[in-house]
Amino acid sequence: MCTDGNLASGVEDPLLTSAEAAEALGVSRWWFGELVRRGRVGPCARISGRLRVRQSVLDRYQTERAGDSEDPYLTYEDIAARLRVSSWTAGQLVRRGLLTGVRLGRRVVVRRSVVEAYIEAQTQ
């Protein structure tokens, strides 16, 4: 959540407005506010009633959401190609809990290791 107070703007780590932060993340200003309210992006500050967040906080959030380069996230389309099924069927696997997904904005993605474990379990 946000803290009320003044933060000095550093040259190396500037404070961004909610509009700048939303643009950097590729989401709407409303969705950025939701990310802050839900505690997924933070810490942040309210300065003169306006939401501000440091660039390093956004960088950390993007790094966490990008996942591990050794175990990347896969979209429904990626899963469908890997399993040779439709993207709708891939979505059904996630919705039924057979594949554990993570919500990134509006998208649900699944780690490659989870898909590989599912394939391994199904082929035994």
Side-chain angles (χ1 to χ4, degrees):
M1 294 301 290
C2 287
T3 58
D4 288 323
N6 294 323
L7 296 176
S9 178
V11 175
E12 301 84 25
D13 195 11
L15 283 173
L16 303 176
T17 64
S18 59
E20 293 168 335
E23 184 177 338
L25 293 177
V27 298
S28 68
R29 287 177 59 192
W30 177 86
W31 186 248
F32 175 72
E34 281 297 303
L35 290 173
V36 171
R37 280 187 282 285
R38 294 175 185 186
R40 296 198 177 133
V41 174
C44 62
R46 267 198 204 283
I47 301 174
S48 300
R50 304 284 184 189
L51 184 63
R52 301 285 188 263
V53 64
R54 291 215 179 267
Q55 180 66 49
S56 62
V57 171
L58 289 184
D59 293 342
R60 186 176 63 235
Y61 174 76
Q62 287 178 316
T63 302
E64 290 171 1
R65 298 320 259 170
D68 184 8
S69 62
E70 298 295 319
D71 190 15
Y73 289 120
L74 302 177
T75 62
Y76 287 173
E77 291 78 21
D78 298 333
I79 296 166
R82 181 81 177 111
L83 298 177
R84 294 190 175 137
V85 296
S86 69
S87 59
W88 184 86
T89 301
Q92 283 295 101
L93 292 171
V94 173
R95 286 186 286 278
R96 290 181 181 166
L98 298 172
L99 296 174
T100 305
V102 177
R103 183 169 293 279
L104 295 179
R106 289 183 163 187
R107 302 181 98 183
V108 175
V109 293
V110 178
R111 290 209 179 269
R112 184 174 61 191
S113 61
V114 172
V115 175
E116 295 299 326
Y118 175 77
I119 292 171
E120 189 66 31
Q122 295 301 311
T123 56
Q124 289 182 1

